[in-house]
Amino acid sequence: MVLSGIKIIELAGLAPGPLCGMILADFGAKVVRVDRTRIMTTVDVQGRGKRSIALDLKKPEGAEVLKKLCIQSDVLIEPFRKGVMEKLSLGPKDLLQQNSKLIYARLTGFGQNGRHASKAGHDINFISLAGLLSNFGRKGENPCAPVNLLGDFAGGGLMCAMGIILALFERTHSGKGQVIDASMVEGAAYCSSWLWKSQKLSLMDKPRGENILDSGAPFYETYKTSDGKYMAVGALEPQFYDRLIEGLGLNSSELPPQMSLSDWPELKRIFTKIFASKSQAVWCKIFDNIDACVTPVLSLQEASRYPHNQDRGSFITDEDGQVSPRPAPHLSRTPACVSLARDPKVGEHTEAVLMEYGFTREQINALQCAEVIELNGPKAKL
Ligand SMILES: C[C@H](CCC[C@H](C)C(=O)SCCNC(=O)CCNC(=O)[C@H](O)C(C)(C)COP(=O)(O)OP(=O)(O)OC[C@H]1O[C@@H](n2cnc3c(N)ncnc32)[C@H](O)[C@@H]1OP(=O)(O)O)[C@H]1CC[C@H]2[C@@H]3[C@H](O)C[C@@H]4C[C@H](O)CC[C@]4(C)[C@H]3C[C@H](O)[C@]12C
């Protein structure tokens, strides 16, 4: 696998850091998640392929343990707001001094400088300041966040993983590590470059809900079917629009032109009425054979059972029976080799990981007695 041999220390965070670590683990890195002590469970639902150690970083001996782990690792992912790591004497200066090859990835909302750098925030705050949230929602309604996909995951976890891979690549030439300042405001904005640049094309320059891709256009919309489900219509180009009209059983000569903006509300009414006349399954049958960019709107469960996704094996089931997406993209020679084991429990691998990193049984016992670490897993075989 592409990242075989790469050792990553991920300090446990809420959502973006865990995705970043999971992507790297899926592609072969050895990822150790550092959980807090005295917690019952983790909120990390993206623990696939990781191991967990429970370590109290507030204790000086705990910070020393992390330092020792980082000396022997390639990457550290830290998800705290600016200044937290420095307070623990675990900032980049402290760690890069000991391991100049370390890639120190700082995944925050607002970045390491600027007036909001020390403030707390969540996805909705980051995409609001990136100028993006103002674009989501229907005409006349409040902006509505697309769950936490854009800030936390596209702009956060994924961008940070890209930064780490870039830094690993660069390190093959320079032999040096570096610090990655991954701000979710900037990551989300960067992912959305098209939106910024398409203003010039007058594609997305009208108020929210009146543009071609934001529910303004009748041919890029969802429609309710007679059984209360939905179809997604993305018939943007004229050739697909013509086929949409055909599939709906309409006659284009009796309709206003596709790009007559003032007629869009009327076209939507017509399409709404027609879609409501048949069930989703019937519309699927009709549009399965027509190249019109029309698809069913599926729930997560339905998506994993959808024939095309089954053809490609797009979803996997782990040993706990939990279904999730398999890693993407596919690499032909060195594909991801995903773990089907259940996610790690907090501190399940403390002993095994510490031994692997050169701690002796005596040192581990002492750390345990001082409540610096917790051993919640089966004992390592000596
Ligand atoms: C599902 C919910 C998650 C949704 C994701 C959400 C939408 C996001 O946007 S995630 C992105 C969040 N933002 C960032 O990551 C930006 C950068 N980070 C921050 O801004 C902050 O870290 C913060 C805002 C995320 C958190 O701020 P906080 O003040 O708490 O933390 P920091 O200042 O960063 O400092 C961390 C301190 O912790 C110390 N630390 C860290 N590690 C260790 C260690 N190993 N040992 C000792 N100490 C450690 C560190 O030193 C700092 O200390 P100081 O402050 O003294 O400096 C879920 C969100 C909440 C979940 C629910 C909740 O957890 C309660 C239940 C729990 C139960 O188990 C399950 C059900 C819950 C209801 C649970 C359900 C969901 O999972 C949530 C709703």
Side-chain angles (χ1 to χ4, degrees), residues 14-16 35-36 41 43 55-58 79-81 84 87-88 108-109 120-123 126 148 152 184:
L14 280 183
D35 284 308
R36 294 169 197 239
T41 52
V43 292
L55 176 64
D56 186 349
L57 295 175
K58 287 267 172 72
F80 309 123
R81 66 175 114 183
V84 166
K87 266 197 282 175
L88 298 167
T108 61
H122 291 105
D123 171 283
F126 312 142
N148 60 334
D152 281 356
M184 290 187 250

PDB file of all heavy atoms in Angstrom, residues 14-16 35-36 41 43 55-58 79-81 84 87-88 108-109 120-123 126 148 152 184, ligand 1:
ATOM      1  N   LEU A  14     -12.629  15.719  17.211  1.00  0.00           N
ATOM      2  CA  LEU A  14     -14.058  15.462  17.016  1.00  0.00           C
ATOM      3  C   LEU A  14     -14.409  14.785  15.691  1.00  0.00           C
ATOM      4  O   LEU A  14     -15.001  13.726  15.677  1.00  0.00           O
ATOM      5  CB  LEU A  14     -14.823  16.790  17.085  1.00  0.00           C
ATOM      6  CG  LEU A  14     -15.113  17.360  18.465  1.00  0.00           C
ATOM      7  CD1 LEU A  14     -15.933  18.624  18.344  1.00  0.00           C
ATOM      8  CD2 LEU A  14     -15.846  16.327  19.315  1.00  0.00           C
ATOM      9  N   ALA A  15     -14.113  15.422  14.566  1.00  0.00           N
ATOM     10  CA  ALA A  15     -14.568  14.888  13.282  1.00  0.00           C
ATOM     11  C   ALA A  15     -13.523  15.015  12.163  1.00  0.00           C
ATOM     12  O   ALA A  15     -13.240  14.040  11.472  1.00  0.00           O
ATOM     13  CB  ALA A  15     -15.885  15.548  12.878  1.00  0.00           C
ATOM     14  N   PRO A  16     -12.946  16.205  11.947  1.00  0.00           N
ATOM     15  CA  PRO A  16     -12.016  16.332  10.804  1.00  0.00           C
ATOM     16  C   PRO A  16     -10.714  15.563  10.988  1.00  0.00           C
ATOM     17  O   PRO A  16     -10.273  14.867  10.059  1.00  0.00           O
ATOM     18  CB  PRO A  16     -11.732  17.842  10.722  1.00  0.00           C
ATOM     19  CG  PRO A  16     -12.493  18.520  11.809  1.00  0.00           C
ATOM     20  CD  PRO A  16     -13.180  17.495  12.638  1.00  0.00           C
ATOM     21  N   ASP A  35      -5.836   8.906  22.825  1.00  0.00           N
ATOM     22  CA  ASP A  35      -7.064   9.299  23.527  1.00  0.00           C
ATOM     23  C   ASP A  35      -6.722   9.815  24.911  1.00  0.00           C
ATOM     24  O   ASP A  35      -5.627   9.583  25.429  1.00  0.00           O
ATOM     25  CB  ASP A  35      -7.991   8.079  23.646  1.00  0.00           C
ATOM     26  CG  ASP A  35      -8.688   7.755  22.334  1.00  0.00           C
ATOM     27  OD1 ASP A  35      -9.302   8.672  21.752  1.00  0.00           O
ATOM     28  OD2 ASP A  35      -8.613   6.592  21.890  1.00  0.00           O
ATOM     29  N   ARG A  36      -7.699  10.517  25.488  1.00  0.00           N
ATOM     30  CA  ARG A  36      -7.518  10.959  26.874  1.00  0.00           C
ATOM     31  C   ARG A  36      -7.674   9.774  27.816  1.00  0.00           C
ATOM     32  O   ARG A  36      -8.258   8.758  27.435  1.00  0.00           O
ATOM     33  CB  ARG A  36      -8.595  11.988  27.235  1.00  0.00           C
ATOM     34  CG  ARG A  36      -8.438  13.263  26.453  1.00  0.00           C
ATOM     35  CD  ARG A  36      -9.658  14.125  26.644  1.00  0.00           C
ATOM     36  NE  ARG A  36      -9.689  15.130  25.612  1.00  0.00           N
ATOM     37  CZ  ARG A  36      -9.687  16.432  25.856  1.00  0.00           C
ATOM     38  NH1 ARG A  36      -9.711  16.882  27.085  1.00  0.00           N
ATOM     39  NH2 ARG A  36      -9.697  17.293  24.854  1.00  0.00           N
ATOM     40  N   THR A  41     -15.737   6.312  26.550  1.00  0.00           N
ATOM     41  CA  THR A  41     -15.758   5.954  25.123  1.00  0.00           C
ATOM     42  C   THR A  41     -15.224   7.123  24.308  1.00  0.00           C
ATOM     43  O   THR A  41     -15.073   8.228  24.809  1.00  0.00           O
ATOM     44  CB  THR A  41     -17.194   5.693  24.624  1.00  0.00           C
ATOM     45  OG1 THR A  41     -17.988   6.821  24.989  1.00  0.00           O
ATOM     46  CG2 THR A  41     -17.770   4.416  25.160  1.00  0.00           C
ATOM     47  N   VAL A  43     -15.596   9.624  20.821  1.00  0.00           N
ATOM     48  CA  VAL A  43     -16.614  10.087  19.867  1.00  0.00           C
ATOM     49  C   VAL A  43     -16.110   9.888  18.432  1.00  0.00           C
ATOM     50  O   VAL A  43     -16.769  10.279  17.475  1.00  0.00           O
ATOM     51  CB  VAL A  43     -17.027  11.576  20.083  1.00  0.00           C
ATOM     52  CG1 VAL A  43     -17.766  11.743  21.378  1.00  0.00           C
ATOM     53  CG2 VAL A  43     -15.822  12.513  19.989  1.00  0.00           C
ATOM     54  N   LEU A  55      -3.592   8.326  27.052  1.00  0.00           N
ATOM     55  CA  LEU A  55      -2.415   9.013  27.588  1.00  0.00           C
ATOM     56  C   LEU A  55      -2.827  10.386  28.111  1.00  0.00           C
ATOM     57  O   LEU A  55      -3.502  11.147  27.397  1.00  0.00           O
ATOM     58  CB  LEU A  55      -1.410   9.160  26.421  1.00  0.00           C
ATOM     59  CG  LEU A  55      -0.126   9.921  26.646  1.00  0.00           C
ATOM     60  CD1 LEU A  55       0.744   9.216  27.689  1.00  0.00           C
ATOM     61  CD2 LEU A  55       0.661  10.019  25.313  1.00  0.00           C
ATOM     62  N   ASP A  56      -2.402  10.699  29.335  1.00  0.00           N
ATOM     63  CA  ASP A  56      -2.735  12.009  29.912  1.00  0.00           C
ATOM     64  C   ASP A  56      -1.633  13.007  29.563  1.00  0.00           C
ATOM     65  O   ASP A  56      -0.548  13.001  30.169  1.00  0.00           O
ATOM     66  CB  ASP A  56      -2.883  11.883  31.438  1.00  0.00           C
ATOM     67  CG  ASP A  56      -3.378  13.190  32.054  1.00  0.00           C
ATOM     68  OD1 ASP A  56      -3.403  14.222  31.332  1.00  0.00           O
ATOM     69  OD2 ASP A  56      -3.737  13.178  33.241  1.00  0.00           O
ATOM     70  N   LEU A  57      -1.938  13.869  28.615  1.00  0.00           N
ATOM     71  CA  LEU A  57      -0.924  14.825  28.143  1.00  0.00           C
ATOM     72  C   LEU A  57      -0.719  15.978  29.109  1.00  0.00           C
ATOM     73  O   LEU A  57       0.239  16.737  28.993  1.00  0.00           O
ATOM     74  CB  LEU A  57      -1.338  15.381  26.770  1.00  0.00           C
ATOM     75  CG  LEU A  57      -1.387  14.376  25.624  1.00  0.00           C
ATOM     76  CD1 LEU A  57      -1.918  15.036  24.357  1.00  0.00           C
ATOM     77  CD2 LEU A  57       0.002  13.795  25.374  1.00  0.00           C
ATOM     78  N   LYS A  58      -1.650  16.128  30.056  1.00  0.00           N
ATOM     79  CA  LYS A  58      -1.515  17.226  31.024  1.00  0.00           C
ATOM     80  C   LYS A  58      -0.427  16.929  32.054  1.00  0.00           C
ATOM     81  O   LYS A  58       0.096  17.824  32.693  1.00  0.00           O
ATOM     82  CB  LYS A  58      -2.851  17.454  31.741  1.00  0.00           C
ATOM     83  CG  LYS A  58      -3.914  18.118  30.864  1.00  0.00           C
ATOM     84  CD  LYS A  58      -3.882  19.628  31.059  1.00  0.00           C
ATOM     85  CE  LYS A  58      -4.780  20.372  30.090  1.00  0.00           C
ATOM     86  NZ  LYS A  58      -6.187  20.231  30.358  1.00  0.00           N
ATOM     87  N   PRO A  79      -5.566  18.481  16.614  1.00  0.00           N
ATOM     88  CA  PRO A  79      -6.810  19.128  16.217  1.00  0.00           C
ATOM     89  C   PRO A  79      -7.289  20.213  17.174  1.00  0.00           C
ATOM     90  O   PRO A  79      -8.472  20.539  17.182  1.00  0.00           O
ATOM     91  CB  PRO A  79      -7.785  17.949  16.277  1.00  0.00           C
ATOM     92  CG  PRO A  79      -7.311  17.187  17.496  1.00  0.00           C
ATOM     93  CD  PRO A  79      -5.825  17.396  17.604  1.00  0.00           C
ATOM     94  N   PHE A  80      -6.371  20.722  18.020  1.00  0.00           N
ATOM     95  CA  PHE A  80      -6.813  21.666  19.057  1.00  0.00           C
ATOM     96  C   PHE A  80      -6.691  23.096  18.574  1.00  0.00           C
ATOM     97  O   PHE A  80      -6.001  23.386  17.609  1.00  0.00           O
ATOM     98  CB  PHE A  80      -5.979  21.473  20.332  1.00  0.00           C
ATOM     99  CG  PHE A  80      -5.925  20.043  20.774  1.00  0.00           C
ATOM    100  CD1 PHE A  80      -4.720  19.391  20.926  1.00  0.00           C
ATOM    101  CD2 PHE A  80      -7.101  19.331  21.005  1.00  0.00           C
ATOM    102  CE1 PHE A  80      -4.663  18.058  21.310  1.00  0.00           C
ATOM    103  CE2 PHE A  80      -7.065  18.001  21.389  1.00  0.00           C
ATOM    104  CZ  PHE A  80      -5.841  17.355  21.541  1.00  0.00           C
ATOM    105  N   ARG A  81      -7.351  23.977  19.322  1.00  0.00           N
ATOM    106  CA  ARG A  81      -7.218  25.373  18.905  1.00  0.00           C
ATOM    107  C   ARG A  81      -5.804  25.868  19.195  1.00  0.00           C
ATOM    108  O   ARG A  81      -5.083  25.286  20.014  1.00  0.00           O
ATOM    109  CB  ARG A  81      -8.286  26.229  19.545  1.00  0.00           C
ATOM    110  CG  ARG A  81      -8.174  26.338  21.019  1.00  0.00           C
ATOM    111  CD  ARG A  81      -9.190  27.303  21.549  1.00  0.00           C
ATOM    112  NE  ARG A  81     -10.175  26.630  22.369  1.00  0.00           N
ATOM    113  CZ  ARG A  81     -11.202  27.261  22.905  1.00  0.00           C
ATOM    114  NH1 ARG A  81     -11.395  28.531  22.657  1.00  0.00           N
ATOM    115  NH2 ARG A  81     -12.057  26.614  23.672  1.00  0.00           N
ATOM    116  N   VAL A  84      -2.885  25.394  22.370  1.00  0.00           N
ATOM    117  CA  VAL A  84      -3.064  24.255  23.287  1.00  0.00           C
ATOM    118  C   VAL A  84      -1.786  23.411  23.355  1.00  0.00           C
ATOM    119  O   VAL A  84      -1.304  23.066  24.438  1.00  0.00           O
ATOM    120  CB  VAL A  84      -4.290  23.405  22.859  1.00  0.00           C
ATOM    121  CG1 VAL A  84      -4.294  22.055  23.567  1.00  0.00           C
ATOM    122  CG2 VAL A  84      -5.589  24.152  23.129  1.00  0.00           C
ATOM    123  N   LYS A  87       1.058  25.097  25.216  1.00  0.00           N
ATOM    124  CA  LYS A  87       0.889  25.065  26.687  1.00  0.00           C
ATOM    125  C   LYS A  87       1.384  23.736  27.272  1.00  0.00           C
ATOM    126  O   LYS A  87       1.787  23.659  28.418  1.00  0.00           O
ATOM    127  CB  LYS A  87      -0.603  25.231  27.037  1.00  0.00           C
ATOM    128  CG  LYS A  87      -1.014  26.672  27.310  1.00  0.00           C
ATOM    129  CD  LYS A  87      -2.349  26.725  28.040  1.00  0.00           C
ATOM    130  CE  LYS A  87      -3.494  26.489  27.088  1.00  0.00           C
ATOM    131  NZ  LYS A  87      -4.821  26.398  27.713  1.00  0.00           N
ATOM    132  N   LEU A  88       1.301  22.690  26.459  1.00  0.00           N
ATOM    133  CA  LEU A  88       1.731  21.359  26.926  1.00  0.00           C
ATOM    134  C   LEU A  88       3.227  21.121  26.645  1.00  0.00           C
ATOM    135  O   LEU A  88       3.724  20.010  26.845  1.00  0.00           O
ATOM    136  CB  LEU A  88       0.916  20.263  26.219  1.00  0.00           C
ATOM    137  CG  LEU A  88      -0.598  20.255  26.464  1.00  0.00           C
ATOM    138  CD1 LEU A  88      -1.305  19.336  25.473  1.00  0.00           C
ATOM    139  CD2 LEU A  88      -0.905  19.812  27.893  1.00  0.00           C
ATOM    140  N   THR A 108      -7.049  23.104  12.312  1.00  0.00           N
ATOM    141  CA  THR A 108      -7.884  23.996  13.128  1.00  0.00           C
ATOM    142  C   THR A 108      -8.958  24.640  12.261  1.00  0.00           C
ATOM    143  O   THR A 108      -8.945  24.503  11.030  1.00  0.00           O
ATOM    144  CB  THR A 108      -7.046  25.138  13.720  1.00  0.00           C
ATOM    145  OG1 THR A 108      -6.495  25.888  12.627  1.00  0.00           O
ATOM    146  CG2 THR A 108      -5.927  24.633  14.616  1.00  0.00           C
ATOM    147  N   GLY A 109      -9.839  25.373  12.919  1.00  0.00           N
ATOM    148  CA  GLY A 109     -10.868  26.092  12.173  1.00  0.00           C
ATOM    149  C   GLY A 109     -10.313  27.343  11.524  1.00  0.00           C
ATOM    150  O   GLY A 109     -10.530  27.615  10.339  1.00  0.00           O
ATOM    151  N   ALA A 120     -12.842  29.074  19.624  1.00  0.00           N
ATOM    152  CA  ALA A 120     -13.441  27.774  19.294  1.00  0.00           C
ATOM    153  C   ALA A 120     -14.373  27.957  18.095  1.00  0.00           C
ATOM    154  O   ALA A 120     -14.805  29.079  17.798  1.00  0.00           O
ATOM    155  CB  ALA A 120     -14.230  27.259  20.489  1.00  0.00           C
ATOM    156  N   GLY A 121     -14.677  26.888  17.426  1.00  0.00           N
ATOM    157  CA  GLY A 121     -15.610  26.967  16.308  1.00  0.00           C
ATOM    158  C   GLY A 121     -15.941  25.590  15.786  1.00  0.00           C
ATOM    159  O   GLY A 121     -15.235  24.614  16.070  1.00  0.00           O
ATOM    160  N   HIS A 122     -17.041  25.511  15.041  1.00  0.00           N
ATOM    161  CA  HIS A 122     -17.429  24.261  14.390  1.00  0.00           C
ATOM    162  C   HIS A 122     -17.682  24.513  12.914  1.00  0.00           C
ATOM    163  O   HIS A 122     -17.709  25.665  12.468  1.00  0.00           O
ATOM    164  CB  HIS A 122     -18.658  23.668  15.093  1.00  0.00           C
ATOM    165  CG  HIS A 122     -18.331  23.172  16.468  1.00  0.00           C
ATOM    166  ND1 HIS A 122     -18.704  23.839  17.598  1.00  0.00           N
ATOM    167  CD2 HIS A 122     -17.624  22.093  16.890  1.00  0.00           C
ATOM    168  CE1 HIS A 122     -18.253  23.198  18.671  1.00  0.00           C
ATOM    169  NE2 HIS A 122     -17.595  22.128  18.262  1.00  0.00           N
ATOM    170  N   ASP A 123     -17.899  23.428  12.224  1.00  0.00           N
ATOM    171  CA  ASP A 123     -18.060  23.481  10.768  1.00  0.00           C
ATOM    172  C   ASP A 123     -18.889  24.686  10.303  1.00  0.00           C
ATOM    173  O   ASP A 123     -18.491  25.418   9.400  1.00  0.00           O
ATOM    174  CB  ASP A 123     -18.714  22.165  10.318  1.00  0.00           C
ATOM    175  CG  ASP A 123     -19.126  22.165   8.874  1.00  0.00           C
ATOM    176  OD1 ASP A 123     -20.160  22.776   8.547  1.00  0.00           O
ATOM    177  OD2 ASP A 123     -18.411  21.566   8.064  1.00  0.00           O
ATOM    178  N   PHE A 126     -16.990  27.833  10.286  1.00  0.00           N
ATOM    179  CA  PHE A 126     -15.911  27.925   9.303  1.00  0.00           C
ATOM    180  C   PHE A 126     -16.481  28.209   7.909  1.00  0.00           C
ATOM    181  O   PHE A 126     -15.970  29.059   7.185  1.00  0.00           O
ATOM    182  CB  PHE A 126     -15.069  26.634   9.281  1.00  0.00           C
ATOM    183  CG  PHE A 126     -14.657  26.172  10.663  1.00  0.00           C
ATOM    184  CD1 PHE A 126     -14.621  24.827  11.001  1.00  0.00           C
ATOM    185  CD2 PHE A 126     -14.340  27.101  11.649  1.00  0.00           C
ATOM    186  CE1 PHE A 126     -14.258  24.411  12.270  1.00  0.00           C
ATOM    187  CE2 PHE A 126     -13.978  26.696  12.935  1.00  0.00           C
ATOM    188  CZ  PHE A 126     -13.954  25.347  13.250  1.00  0.00           C
ATOM    189  N   ASN A 148     -22.089  18.571   8.154  1.00  0.00           N
ATOM    190  CA  ASN A 148     -20.761  19.154   8.401  1.00  0.00           C
ATOM    191  C   ASN A 148     -19.750  18.638   7.375  1.00  0.00           C
ATOM    192  O   ASN A 148     -18.598  18.387   7.684  1.00  0.00           O
ATOM    193  CB  ASN A 148     -20.285  18.890   9.842  1.00  0.00           C
ATOM    194  CG  ASN A 148     -20.179  17.402  10.161  1.00  0.00           C
ATOM    195  OD1 ASN A 148     -20.866  16.593   9.568  1.00  0.00           O
ATOM    196  ND2 ASN A 148     -19.306  17.043  11.089  1.00  0.00           N
ATOM    197  N   ASP A 152     -15.692  20.537   7.927  1.00  0.00           N
ATOM    198  CA  ASP A 152     -14.973  19.495   8.666  1.00  0.00           C
ATOM    199  C   ASP A 152     -14.255  18.509   7.744  1.00  0.00           C
ATOM    200  O   ASP A 152     -13.117  18.119   7.997  1.00  0.00           O
ATOM    201  CB  ASP A 152     -15.947  18.675   9.519  1.00  0.00           C
ATOM    202  CG  ASP A 152     -16.328  19.396  10.803  1.00  0.00           C
ATOM    203  OD1 ASP A 152     -15.778  20.472  11.059  1.00  0.00           O
ATOM    204  OD2 ASP A 152     -17.193  18.878  11.538  1.00  0.00           O
ATOM    205  N   MET A 184      -9.693  25.249   8.411  1.00  0.00           N
ATOM    206  CA  MET A 184     -10.892  24.759   7.712  1.00  0.00           C
ATOM    207  C   MET A 184     -11.604  25.875   6.960  1.00  0.00           C
ATOM    208  O   MET A 184     -12.273  25.626   5.963  1.00  0.00           O
ATOM    209  CB  MET A 184     -11.820  24.055   8.692  1.00  0.00           C
ATOM    210  CG  MET A 184     -11.220  22.740   9.148  1.00  0.00           C
ATOM    211  SD  MET A 184     -12.333  21.771  10.145  1.00  0.00           S
ATOM    212  CE  MET A 184     -11.545  21.901  11.732  1.00  0.00           C
TER     213      MET A 184
HETATM  214  C1  LIG B   1     -21.064  14.797  16.590  1.00  0.00           C
HETATM  215  C2  LIG B   1     -20.451  15.950  17.357  1.00  0.00           C
HETATM  216  C3  LIG B   1     -19.244  16.425  16.589  1.00  0.00           C
HETATM  217  C4  LIG B   1     -19.689  17.254  15.443  1.00  0.00           C
HETATM  218  C5  LIG B   1     -18.542  17.908  14.751  1.00  0.00           C
HETATM  219  C6  LIG B   1     -18.679  19.354  14.648  1.00  0.00           C
HETATM  220  C7  LIG B   1     -19.831  19.814  13.793  1.00  0.00           C
HETATM  221  C8  LIG B   1     -17.399  20.003  14.173  1.00  0.00           C
HETATM  222  O1  LIG B   1     -17.415  21.001  13.565  1.00  0.00           O
HETATM  223  S1  LIG B   1     -15.894  19.260  14.555  1.00  0.00           S
HETATM  224  C9  LIG B   1     -14.710  20.530  14.289  1.00  0.00           C
HETATM  225  C10 LIG B   1     -14.477  21.228  15.565  1.00  0.00           C
HETATM  226  N1  LIG B   1     -13.513  22.300  15.438  1.00  0.00           N
HETATM  227  C11 LIG B   1     -12.226  22.099  15.334  1.00  0.00           C
HETATM  228  O2  LIG B   1     -11.725  20.995  15.283  1.00  0.00           O
HETATM  229  C12 LIG B   1     -11.404  23.357  15.247  1.00  0.00           C
HETATM  230  C13 LIG B   1     -10.166  23.336  16.117  1.00  0.00           C
HETATM  231  N2  LIG B   1     -10.504  22.944  17.461  1.00  0.00           N
HETATM  232  C14 LIG B   1     -11.226  23.703  18.294  1.00  0.00           C
HETATM  233  O3  LIG B   1     -11.672  24.804  18.002  1.00  0.00           O
HETATM  234  C15 LIG B   1     -11.465  23.099  19.665  1.00  0.00           C
HETATM  235  O4  LIG B   1     -10.585  22.045  19.870  1.00  0.00           O
HETATM  236  C16 LIG B   1     -12.918  22.597  19.861  1.00  0.00           C
HETATM  237  C17 LIG B   1     -13.925  23.719  19.664  1.00  0.00           C
HETATM  238  C18 LIG B   1     -13.246  21.450  18.935  1.00  0.00           C
HETATM  239  C19 LIG B   1     -13.033  22.086  21.307  1.00  0.00           C
HETATM  240  O5  LIG B   1     -12.719  23.134  22.180  1.00  0.00           O
HETATM  241  P1  LIG B   1     -12.191  22.831  23.621  1.00  0.00           P
HETATM  242  O6  LIG B   1     -12.140  24.099  24.385  1.00  0.00           O
HETATM  243  O7  LIG B   1     -12.956  21.697  24.214  1.00  0.00           O
HETATM  244  O8  LIG B   1     -10.752  22.221  23.309  1.00  0.00           O
HETATM  245  P2  LIG B   1      -9.332  22.921  23.034  1.00  0.00           P
HETATM  246  O9  LIG B   1      -9.293  24.340  23.394  1.00  0.00           O
HETATM  247  O10 LIG B   1      -8.884  22.567  21.651  1.00  0.00           O
HETATM  248  O11 LIG B   1      -8.402  22.158  24.075  1.00  0.00           O
HETATM  249  C20 LIG B   1      -8.380  20.812  24.258  1.00  0.00           C
HETATM  250  C21 LIG B   1      -8.059  20.566  25.713  1.00  0.00           C
HETATM  251  O12 LIG B   1      -7.999  19.187  25.925  1.00  0.00           O
HETATM  252  C22 LIG B   1      -6.721  18.869  26.467  1.00  0.00           C
HETATM  253  N3  LIG B   1      -6.343  17.534  25.972  1.00  0.00           N
HETATM  254  C23 LIG B   1      -6.423  17.061  24.708  1.00  0.00           C
HETATM  255  N4  LIG B   1      -5.999  15.787  24.669  1.00  0.00           N
HETATM  256  C24 LIG B   1      -5.620  15.461  25.920  1.00  0.00           C
HETATM  257  C25 LIG B   1      -5.087  14.299  26.521  1.00  0.00           C
HETATM  258  N5  LIG B   1      -4.826  13.175  25.829  1.00  0.00           N
HETATM  259  N6  LIG B   1      -4.830  14.337  27.837  1.00  0.00           N
HETATM  260  C26 LIG B   1      -5.076  15.438  28.586  1.00  0.00           C
HETATM  261  N7  LIG B   1      -5.585  16.567  28.063  1.00  0.00           N
HETATM  262  C27 LIG B   1      -5.854  16.566  26.768  1.00  0.00           C
HETATM  263  C28 LIG B   1      -5.809  19.950  25.956  1.00  0.00           C
HETATM  264  O13 LIG B   1      -4.645  20.013  26.687  1.00  0.00           O
HETATM  265  C29 LIG B   1      -6.707  21.146  26.113  1.00  0.00           C
HETATM  266  O14 LIG B   1      -6.725  21.520  27.460  1.00  0.00           O
HETATM  267  P3  LIG B   1      -6.854  23.073  27.913  1.00  0.00           P
HETATM  268  O15 LIG B   1      -8.233  23.498  27.527  1.00  0.00           O
HETATM  269  O16 LIG B   1      -6.628  23.040  29.399  1.00  0.00           O
HETATM  270  O17 LIG B   1      -5.781  23.826  27.176  1.00  0.00           O
HETATM  271  C30 LIG B   1     -20.083  15.595  18.802  1.00  0.00           C
HETATM  272  C31 LIG B   1     -19.579  16.879  19.534  1.00  0.00           C
HETATM  273  C32 LIG B   1     -19.899  16.663  21.034  1.00  0.00           C
HETATM  274  C33 LIG B   1     -20.382  15.195  21.074  1.00  0.00           C
HETATM  275  C34 LIG B   1     -21.235  14.785  22.281  1.00  0.00           C
HETATM  276  C35 LIG B   1     -20.492  15.029  23.616  1.00  0.00           C
HETATM  277  O18 LIG B   1     -19.164  14.500  23.551  1.00  0.00           O
HETATM  278  C36 LIG B   1     -21.253  14.469  24.810  1.00  0.00           C
HETATM  279  C37 LIG B   1     -21.678  12.996  24.636  1.00  0.00           C
HETATM  280  C38 LIG B   1     -20.509  12.034  24.778  1.00  0.00           C
HETATM  281  C39 LIG B   1     -20.963  10.565  24.622  1.00  0.00           C
HETATM  282  O19 LIG B   1     -19.829   9.710  24.717  1.00  0.00           O
HETATM  283  C40 LIG B   1     -21.651  10.388  23.251  1.00  0.00           C
HETATM  284  C41 LIG B   1     -22.830  11.315  23.137  1.00  0.00           C
HETATM  285  C42 LIG B   1     -22.461  12.807  23.313  1.00  0.00           C
HETATM  286  C43 LIG B   1     -23.777  13.569  23.383  1.00  0.00           C
HETATM  287  C44 LIG B   1     -21.610  13.280  22.127  1.00  0.00           C
HETATM  288  C45 LIG B   1     -22.346  13.067  20.763  1.00  0.00           C
HETATM  289  C46 LIG B   1     -21.535  13.577  19.559  1.00  0.00           C
HETATM  290  O20 LIG B   1     -20.397  12.786  19.375  1.00  0.00           O
HETATM  291  C47 LIG B   1     -21.139  15.056  19.753  1.00  0.00           C
HETATM  292  C48 LIG B   1     -22.414  15.905  19.698  1.00  0.00           C
END
